[in-house]
Each structure stands twice: as C-alpha cells, then as structure tokens.
Amino acid sequence: MAACAFRRSIASQLSKVLDLPPESLIKSISAVPVSKKRCVADFQLSIASITEDSSSSCLSQDLNLQAQKLAERLKCDAVVSEISAGPGTVNFTINRELLAKTVLQQVLKEGSEYGVKSELFSAVPKQKAVIEYSSPNIAKKFHIGHLRSTIVGNFIANLKVALGHEVIRINYLGDWGMQFGLLGVGFQRFGDKEKLKSSPLQHLFEVYVQINKAAEDENIKELAKDFFRKLEGHDEQALSLWKQFRDFSIEEYIRIYKRLGVRFDEYSGESLYQEKSQEVLKMLEDKGLLQKTMQGTGVVDLSDKKDLSSFSTVMRSDGTSLYITRDLAAAIDRMNKHQCDTMIYVTDKSQSSHFEHLFQILKLMGYDWAERCQHVSFGLVQGMKTRRGEVVFLEDVLDEVRARVLQNMASAKTTKQVEDPMDTAEKVGLSALIIQDFRGLLSSDYQFSWDRALQSRGDTGVFLQYTHARLCRYDEVLYRSSQDLQPKHIVSYLLTLSHLAAVAHRTLPVKGSAPELAQARLCLFQAARSVLASGMKLLGITPVTQM
Ligand code: ARG
C-alpha cells in the first residue's frame, strides 16, 4: 500500500530515534489535508499522540518545542525529502518522484482493491453486520426520508463489504397495523385487481387515501377494526388479500430499487413479529420488567431511579403489540438467526428516541449485544418537489431527475452521441442526488435543490502537483468513513480528485506527447479513473462511460 509504505518508512526512522516500536507510531502518522492555496507536507506526526501524558499537563508550547527537537534529530532519506516542525507536529514531505511512481503503480496494480487493503484496517476485526435500511410502509407515501435511508444504508453496506466484512441487508417493511384494516375495507370498496397487479404501490396508495376520507364515518372505522382483527386472528380470506398487497408491493419495490442499484438479502417486516411480540411481552413480564399502568397499558421503566420518569410503552390496553414491541422481537430474531456482531438501523433522526428505548430495553432484558446495535440517523430534506408535486413515490423522483438530466444532455454542446441516453441520464441523475445528499454530515438537514444537484461545474483551480499526493490518502478517507459511517469524507475526496483530474486533463495532454510521456500521463488518468470508480461504487453510484 503506497501510503502505508511511506508511513512505515517514517515510523521506522522515528522508532529508532524515539526508541518506541514502529507499530505504535504508525497510527500517529496521518496524511496532511491538501490545501489549494499553499504547499503542504504529505504526512505529519502528532506529538501529543505519542507522549504518554498528553493530558492537560502538556502545554502546547511544550509540544511545539518537542516537535522542534524531534525534527532536528530526524534525517531526510530516499523516501523523505523534507522534514519540518509545525505546531505540535513534525511534518514530512515525500520525494515527489517516488511518491508519484509508487502511488500510480499501486493504484494500477490493486484496482478496486486499492485503499481497502490498507494497514489502517488490519487491526479492525472482520465482522458480520446486519444493516436495516429503506423500510417503507406499504400503502403509505415513500417519502424522501425513505430515499435517504435507502442510499445511506446501501452506502454503509457497500463500504463494509469492501472492507471485508460480512453484511446482511434487510428491508423491514411497514406491513402491519391498523392501516391494513382500513386498506382491506378500502380495497373491498374501491380496489381493482388488475390495477393492484400492474401498479400496486400507486393503486394501494390511492385506495388508502380514499378510504381514509371515508373513515370519518364511524361505520367504516368499525369495519376496519373488524378487518384488522380478522388479520390478527389469521382469517384466511383477509390474510390472502393482505398477502397480495405485500407480495405485489415487494415485486414493484424490487424493480425500483434496481434502478437505484440497491438490493436486499431479506424482505422482513412488522407483520412477521406479531406472535413473537407476545413472547417478548411474556419475557418482559417474567423478568419483572413489565408494569401495568392505570389505563391498562404495559410499560417498561427506563429511568435510573425507577420512578417512571422515563419509560416506554410496549403494550396496548387490549394486550396487542406496538411498533417498539415488534422491533424488540425483530432484533432478538435477527440476532438469533444471523449471530452478527453489529446491527445497524438507518432512519431519520425523528426516530432517535425510539431506537434509544429499543436498545435500552434489550439491555435490561439481559442482551449484552444491545451495546453493539447502532442507530445511524440522518436529518430532514426540505423542499423536494417533482413536477407532479409533493413526492409520493420513489419512482417519481427517479423519473424526474432522469428527465432533467436528459434535458441538460440534449442542450449541452459537449454531449457526444450517447448509446443509451436514458440509462446514462438515470445514472448521472442518481449520482447528482447521492452527492447532494452525502456532501454534508448525515445528521444535518438540507434544502433540496434540483439546480444545485445538477450543476455540471463545481469550483476549480486545484494544482496538478497535488494529484498524486491526494491519491495516496484514499485509505485514510475510507478509514474515516468506516469509523463514523459518514459518506461525506469519500465524497469530498472524490470531488477534489475530479477537480485535479480536470486540471491535469487541460495541462497534461496525452495526444501529441512523446510516447514515454504519453504513457506516464495515461497511467495517471487511468489511476485517477480507477479510484474514482471504486469510490463512486461505494457510494452507490454506477460510473458511466459516456455522457
Ligand atoms: N417503516 C418505518 C417508517 O417508515 C421505518 C422502520 C425503521 N426500522 C425499524 N426497525 N423500526 O417510519
């Protein structure tokens, strides 16, 4: 690994001077972020991270002095061409020629493996992760939050797989609850079998909207309750209709996810856990964790003082389960089935306290693995509208962005004859959506803008000589994303790389150069393209070859 070889080389010299094992030093050597404005070193050692008492007793002045002293004791060699002291750091500049050569060779040799085999990951044990994402509700809107969950979950799963972990991708559908009572009654009145087959998501949504209006009438409400009661009692007819709703919907979801390049290993859902939720309630009761309230509901006390200052309701007064009860059952079931090391749930932040409660209750039940469950939350996306108005279906968003890109392609003079414009527009459009979404921290809300997402030019003006230096830091970028599961590190890296490649493209022509030079330049572009492609694939973007 290119960056690794440099880090190792620096560590080995340091280890002699400091009399510390080189392995312990490698982690303290990090790449220096590239600056557009000034020349910076390639790597730096943070003094604070190697001194034993880096606590408050170490003043920054001390650290600066130590850095200075250490820098003086180190020598340049075949690898390091410059050593200097900065504020609390020792900075290393790598021999430019060696850097360019090593990095290019590495990227070309390792291809899509580049970066992921870094020693940064060698201490990280290979794990099995269950990742739950997308999880829309049948017959309800597929809102932008579900789209965000879909692309974020897909990214996390891709990243984990690339780093050698085992991943199970689960879609946990909202396929149970009172809404299916209404939907059952609604379908009997307004439903159409043909439409259910040909466009289930649209049709079920329409039926749901209609019956919801009608449900102001108490009779309808009663009928819906009856229908749901039948479902819970396993009435064959009711179940068979419900199953059609579910099966047809899943078929259509699969088709649309395919457009996104997203797939799942399992289509799970709340419906699978009605019985198991009853077992969970029983377990809670046996463990003395279930308390009955005056209203007859069942709650679990989550407060430290056991004074119910914080609690979670897990049972309705009629003994039936709630969203969280089904989640408890689902979590236990997943763990039994997959024996995984971690479970990750991807939803918007409005569900944060739901997941906190979920993990707390699991812990109280004695499941230590609850500590290895994680809720990856994201902020709200405001103002996403399509020509049809408010977003109701995922497909509307995909169609809209594809149409807009097609239009841009048609009006752009630079666009070449593209073989399959629809397909290209789809991929380009999707990457516009993903990058807009992934640029900031996932927890931030953002204002959606078609124009901003689809801009063809970003800021330019990055210098060519940083290209190779930039490239060798890819593993650190992956490492950062793998630590906090935020895609933005990879996104900004790829964007910078693109700017650099654009500058290189203008200033380093391949055509018309001497063969050897042309060859070297081709290597550079090939390497850049390879890293770009790997990074984009992690994010869930399919690279196109024409546009
Ligand atoms: N279907 C839910 C919703 O749309 C999201 C499910 C999240 N996952 C979970 N295990 N609760 O709000």
Side-chain angles (χ1 to χ4, degrees), residues 132 135-137 146 172 174 270 323 327 334 345 347 351 354-355:
E132 187 220 279
S135 309
N137 304 318
H146 291 118
Y172 182 74
E270 295 183 46
Y323 181 51
D327 253 330
R334 277 177 207 174
Y345 297 83
T347 78
Q351 299 204 30
H354 166 77
F355 285 104

Short mmCIF file of all heavy atoms in Angstrom, two decimals, residues 132 135-137 146 172 174 270 323 327 334 345 347 351 354-355, ligand 1:
data_model
loop_
_atom_site.label_atom_id
_atom_site.label_comp_id
_atom_site.label_asym_id
_atom_site.label_seq_id
_atom_site.Cartn_x
_atom_site.Cartn_y
_atom_site.Cartn_z
N GLU A 132 -30.12 -2.58 8.39
CA GLU A 132 -31.51 -2.42 8.01
C GLU A 132 -31.71 -1.03 7.45
O GLU A 132 -31.36 -0.05 8.10
CB GLU A 132 -32.41 -2.63 9.24
CG GLU A 132 -33.88 -2.64 8.89
CD GLU A 132 -34.71 -1.92 9.92
OE1 GLU A 132 -35.01 -2.53 10.95
OE2 GLU A 132 -35.05 -0.75 9.67
N SER A 135 -36.90 0.44 4.41
CA SER A 135 -38.06 0.16 5.27
C SER A 135 -39.28 1.06 5.07
O SER A 135 -39.73 1.71 6.02
CB SER A 135 -37.61 0.21 6.74
OG SER A 135 -36.48 -0.61 6.93
N PRO A 136 -39.82 1.11 3.86
CA PRO A 136 -41.02 1.92 3.63
C PRO A 136 -42.27 1.24 4.18
O PRO A 136 -42.22 0.08 4.60
CB PRO A 136 -41.10 1.99 2.10
CG PRO A 136 -40.46 0.73 1.62
CD PRO A 136 -39.37 0.42 2.63
N ASN A 137 -43.36 1.99 4.18
CA ASN A 137 -44.63 1.46 4.67
C ASN A 137 -45.55 1.21 3.49
O ASN A 137 -45.82 2.14 2.73
CB ASN A 137 -45.28 2.46 5.62
CG ASN A 137 -44.35 2.82 6.76
OD1 ASN A 137 -43.69 1.96 7.33
ND2 ASN A 137 -44.28 4.10 7.09
N HIS A 146 -37.30 7.99 3.23
CA HIS A 146 -37.06 6.60 2.86
C HIS A 146 -35.99 6.52 1.78
O HIS A 146 -35.18 5.59 1.78
CB HIS A 146 -38.35 5.94 2.36
CG HIS A 146 -39.38 5.75 3.43
ND1 HIS A 146 -40.62 6.34 3.39
CD2 HIS A 146 -39.34 5.04 4.59
CE1 HIS A 146 -41.31 5.99 4.46
NE2 HIS A 146 -40.56 5.21 5.22
N TYR A 172 -37.08 -3.69 6.27
CA TYR A 172 -38.09 -4.01 7.29
C TYR A 172 -39.35 -3.20 6.97
O TYR A 172 -39.48 -2.04 7.36
CB TYR A 172 -37.50 -3.62 8.65
CG TYR A 172 -38.36 -3.90 9.86
CD1 TYR A 172 -38.54 -5.20 10.34
CD2 TYR A 172 -38.95 -2.85 10.57
CE1 TYR A 172 -39.29 -5.44 11.49
CE2 TYR A 172 -39.70 -3.08 11.72
CZ TYR A 172 -39.86 -4.38 12.17
OH TYR A 172 -40.60 -4.61 13.31
N GLY A 174 -43.07 -1.67 6.63
CA GLY A 174 -44.24 -1.34 7.45
C GLY A 174 -45.41 -2.07 6.80
O GLY A 174 -46.07 -1.52 5.93
N GLU A 270 -42.87 -5.74 9.82
CA GLU A 270 -43.52 -5.81 11.14
C GLU A 270 -44.47 -7.00 11.25
O GLU A 270 -44.65 -7.56 12.32
CB GLU A 270 -44.26 -4.51 11.40
CG GLU A 270 -43.32 -3.32 11.52
CD GLU A 270 -44.06 -2.04 11.85
OE1 GLU A 270 -44.92 -2.07 12.75
OE2 GLU A 270 -43.78 -1.01 11.20
N TYR A 323 -45.28 -0.69 17.78
CA TYR A 323 -44.10 -0.59 16.91
C TYR A 323 -42.83 -1.08 17.62
O TYR A 323 -42.08 -1.91 17.11
CB TYR A 323 -43.98 0.88 16.49
CG TYR A 323 -42.85 1.26 15.56
CD1 TYR A 323 -42.63 0.55 14.37
CD2 TYR A 323 -42.03 2.36 15.84
CE1 TYR A 323 -41.61 0.94 13.50
CE2 TYR A 323 -41.02 2.74 14.98
CZ TYR A 323 -40.81 2.04 13.81
OH TYR A 323 -39.82 2.43 12.96
N ASP A 327 -40.27 -4.29 17.12
CA ASP A 327 -38.84 -4.09 16.90
C ASP A 327 -38.00 -4.91 17.88
O ASP A 327 -36.93 -5.39 17.53
CB ASP A 327 -38.50 -2.59 17.05
CG ASP A 327 -38.20 -1.96 15.70
OD1 ASP A 327 -37.72 -2.69 14.80
OD2 ASP A 327 -38.45 -0.75 15.53
N ARG A 334 -33.30 -11.43 14.69
CA ARG A 334 -32.15 -11.21 13.80
C ARG A 334 -30.87 -11.72 14.42
O ARG A 334 -30.02 -12.32 13.76
CB ARG A 334 -31.96 -9.71 13.55
CG ARG A 334 -32.84 -9.19 12.47
CD ARG A 334 -32.66 -7.71 12.33
NE ARG A 334 -33.91 -7.17 11.80
CZ ARG A 334 -34.18 -5.90 11.65
NH1 ARG A 334 -33.28 -5.00 12.01
NH2 ARG A 334 -35.31 -5.51 11.14
N TYR A 345 -29.32 0.34 12.20
CA TYR A 345 -30.63 0.78 11.71
C TYR A 345 -30.46 2.17 11.11
O TYR A 345 -29.89 3.05 11.75
CB TYR A 345 -31.62 0.90 12.86
CG TYR A 345 -31.95 -0.38 13.59
CD1 TYR A 345 -31.12 -0.86 14.60
CD2 TYR A 345 -33.10 -1.09 13.28
CE1 TYR A 345 -31.44 -2.03 15.29
CE2 TYR A 345 -33.43 -2.26 13.97
CZ TYR A 345 -32.60 -2.73 14.96
OH TYR A 345 -32.92 -3.87 15.64
N THR A 347 -32.44 5.34 9.89
CA THR A 347 -33.69 6.10 9.72
C THR A 347 -33.43 7.57 10.03
O THR A 347 -32.36 7.93 10.53
CB THR A 347 -34.83 5.66 10.68
OG1 THR A 347 -34.57 6.23 11.98
CG2 THR A 347 -34.96 4.17 10.78
N GLN A 351 -36.64 9.34 14.78
CA GLN A 351 -36.82 8.05 15.47
C GLN A 351 -35.70 7.75 16.47
O GLN A 351 -35.60 6.63 16.97
CB GLN A 351 -36.92 6.92 14.44
CG GLN A 351 -38.10 7.08 13.50
CD GLN A 351 -38.57 5.76 12.88
OE1 GLN A 351 -38.45 4.70 13.48
NE2 GLN A 351 -39.13 5.86 11.70
N HIS A 354 -36.84 6.44 19.79
CA HIS A 354 -37.38 5.08 19.62
C HIS A 354 -36.24 4.06 19.70
O HIS A 354 -36.34 3.06 20.42
CB HIS A 354 -38.09 4.96 18.26
CG HIS A 354 -38.38 3.55 17.85
ND1 HIS A 354 -39.41 2.81 18.38
CD2 HIS A 354 -37.75 2.72 16.97
CE1 HIS A 354 -39.40 1.59 17.84
NE2 HIS A 354 -38.40 1.52 16.97
N PHE A 355 -35.15 4.33 18.97
CA PHE A 355 -34.06 3.36 18.97
C PHE A 355 -33.29 3.35 20.29
O PHE A 355 -32.84 2.30 20.74
CB PHE A 355 -33.14 3.58 17.76
CG PHE A 355 -33.78 3.09 16.49
CD1 PHE A 355 -34.33 3.98 15.57
CD2 PHE A 355 -33.90 1.74 16.24
CE1 PHE A 355 -34.96 3.52 14.42
CE2 PHE A 355 -34.53 1.26 15.09
CZ PHE A 355 -35.05 2.17 14.17
N1 ARG B 1 -41.30 1.81 8.45
C1 ARG B 1 -40.75 2.78 9.33
C2 ARG B 1 -41.09 4.19 8.87
O1 ARG B 1 -41.34 4.40 7.71
C3 ARG B 1 -39.26 2.69 9.44
C4 ARG B 1 -38.76 1.42 10.05
C5 ARG B 1 -37.45 1.59 10.68
N2 ARG B 1 -36.93 0.40 11.20
C6 ARG B 1 -37.27 -0.18 12.36
N3 ARG B 1 -36.70 -1.31 12.67
N4 ARG B 1 -38.11 0.38 13.16
O2 ARG B 1 -41.10 5.11 9.67
#
